[in-house]
Amino acid sequence: MTDAIRIRAPKRFYAGLVLIGICLFVFWANHGMTLGTPRMMGPAMFPRILAVMIGISGAVLVLLSLNFDGEKLERFSIRGPFFVTLSIIAFSLTIRSMGMAVAGMLALTLSGFATPEARPREVLIFAAVMTVLSILLFHYFLGMSVKILDIPGTGIEF
């Protein structure tokens, strides 16, 4: 009789399950889209190919977690995912109405506090520098028609 299956690397095991979940979600999310052919790719081909590769990676991690010792699960903090998600929502709500200067600064500042080691002064300096670089890249170098700054009710618009 064989021994029961034992998870020897819990961190690797759960990471693999998350990747398999992402794969399944992508397949569910684009189920109505056409796959196309290798000569004429449809809108679902690239996401599905990536999903398959992610799913295979997840399956490999799960198998490795059963065969090799690895790290235990650490205590999970909600702080990182909370601030990163909040920054994405803030960016999406402000980019069109207030422009890249406000949206970029807001998103980068919020996401900077995802780590407990964040220092307000460093986060603000980083956010300002990255926002200026983003404006230069997207508006001036790439020529995208992204609004730079628009403060509603003041008439200030670039």
Side-chain angles (χ1 to χ4, degrees):
M1 188 149 218
T2 62
D3 293 344
I5 295 175
R6 191 176 133 238
I7 300 169
R8 296 170 62 178
K11 197 172 195 178
R12 192 177 293 145
F13 178 78
Y14 289 111
L17 288 183
V18 167
L19 292 179
I20 291 169
I22 290 170
C23 170
L24 295 174
F25 174 77
V26 170
F27 272 88
W28 171 81
N30 71 17
H31 73 278
M33 299 166 70
T34 58
L35 190 59
T37 65
R39 286 182 180 247
M40 185 65 100
M41 288 178 57
M45 186 174 283
F46 187 68
R48 286 186 189 169
I49 289 171
L50 282 177
V52 166
M53 290 190 290
I54 288 171
I56 290 170
S57 299
V60 168
L61 284 175
V62 168
L63 291 173
L64 288 174
S65 74
L66 300 175
N67 295 316
F68 299 101
D69 290 330
E71 295 180 47
K72 304 267 187 242
L73 279 178
E74 299 169 5
R75 186 167 180 243
F76 181 75
S77 171
I78 195 71
R79 180 183 178 135
F82 173 77
F83 277 106
V84 170
T85 302
L86 187 64
S87 72
I88 292 168
I89 292 169
F91 184 84
S92 67
L93 292 175
T94 57
I95 185 68
R96 290 188 183 188
S97 62
M98 302 183 94
M100 181 76 110
V102 173
M105 235 356 238
L106 183 60
L108 289 165
T109 301
L110 287 171
S111 65
F113 290 106
T115 177
E117 293 92 25
R119 295 184 190 137
R121 177 195 257 184
E122 292 174 0
V123 169
L124 290 173
I125 291 170
F126 174 77
V129 169
M130 292 306 294
T131 299
V132 168
L133 291 174
S134 296
I135 291 169
L136 289 173
L137 174 67
F138 292 110
H139 188 74
Y140 294 105
F141 295 135
L142 296 177
M144 295 176 68
S145 60
V146 63
K147 196 183 306 184
I148 296 174
L149 179 65
D150 184 5
I151 302 175
T154 65
I156 298 173
E157 184 176 338
F158 294 104

